Amino acid sequence: MNKAAIFIRVSTEEQDTENQRLKLMELINRRNYEHVKTYDVTQSVYHHASTEYLSELREDARLGKYNILCVWSLDRLSRRGIMHTLNIVNELCNNGIKIVSLQDGFIDTLTDNNIRDLFIAFISFIARYESQRKSANIKAGLAKKKQLGYNIGKPKGAKDIKTRRKIGYLGNQNAKTKV
């Protein structure tokens, strides 16, 4: 029997992985796979240079703990572009892992690796472009609000003490906001 792992990811704490989990469990049950593990990640993978969020998944792949990885879509693994996504996919494939994507269902049916890589490259390009575009739109909206005199970031007196990744992040506790 095929041993399947589920990889689910959302970008922020405000988002929920439950929808991905339910749909991927339905897929596993429909295909009669044995569910062995779920990797549940809350992290924006577009902004992080690290692939630490994949370390356990990669190690388990090397150890043969599963042979099928079910994902909601390929952009859940990475939104950092073609090479980054292909490197992840190829590493998993070299460890005997078949990737099954709920949203990109054709990927697991392709037998020609060159064609598979071409489709993954295309999907990865779109995912990165979409992330960059969304980020630019958010930054433009925040800049406009700031220009209009709105406070950007946490409200005065909020108890948010979460460490921020970047100096100058608009929500940084050290950033100056208009009063």
Side-chain angles (χ1 to χ4, degrees), residues 72-86:
W72 178 262
S73 63
L74 288 175
D75 70 352
R76 299 297 80 205
L77 290 172
S78 174
R79 294 182 74 97
R80 289 186 43 225
I82 296 168
M83 292 309 297
H84 191 259
T85 305
L86 278 175

Side-chain angles (χ1 to χ4, degrees), residues 10-77:
V10 292
S11 300
T12 68
E13 294 288 337
E14 291 79 31
Q15 297 172 318
D16 185 359
T17 57
E18 195 56 30
N19 185 46
Q20 292 179 46
R21 181 188 324 277
L22 290 173
K23 293 296 183 182
L24 290 169
M25 283 304 296
E26 287 175 13
L27 175 71
I28 284 175
N29 292 331
R30 202 171 44 246
R31 294 193 180 187
N32 294 317
Y33 297 154
E34 176 189 353
H35 176 241
V36 294
K37 191 161 189 173
T38 297
Y39 304 91
D40 191 325
V41 176
T42 300
Q43 177 177 326
S44 172
V45 297
Y46 174 72
H47 293 290
H48 285 34
S50 167
T51 57
E52 185 68 28
Y53 66 96
L54 293 173
S55 60
E56 185 180 1
L57 177 131
R58 286 174 156 155
E59 181 62 20
D60 289 350
R62 281 190 288 276
L63 295 173
K65 292 187 177 182
Y66 62 92
N67 62 332
I68 295 176
L69 180 64
C70 298
V71 296
W72 178 262
S73 63
L74 288 175
D75 70 352
R76 299 297 80 205
L77 290 172

Side-chain angles (χ1 to χ4, degrees), residues 92-111:
L92 292 169
C93 289
N94 289 338
N95 283 302
I97 308 301
K98 178 180 178 181
I99 298 175
V100 176
S101 170
L102 192 63
Q103 300 298 314
D104 315 306
F106 58 89
I107 294 297
D108 67 286
T109 64
L110 297 173
T111 54

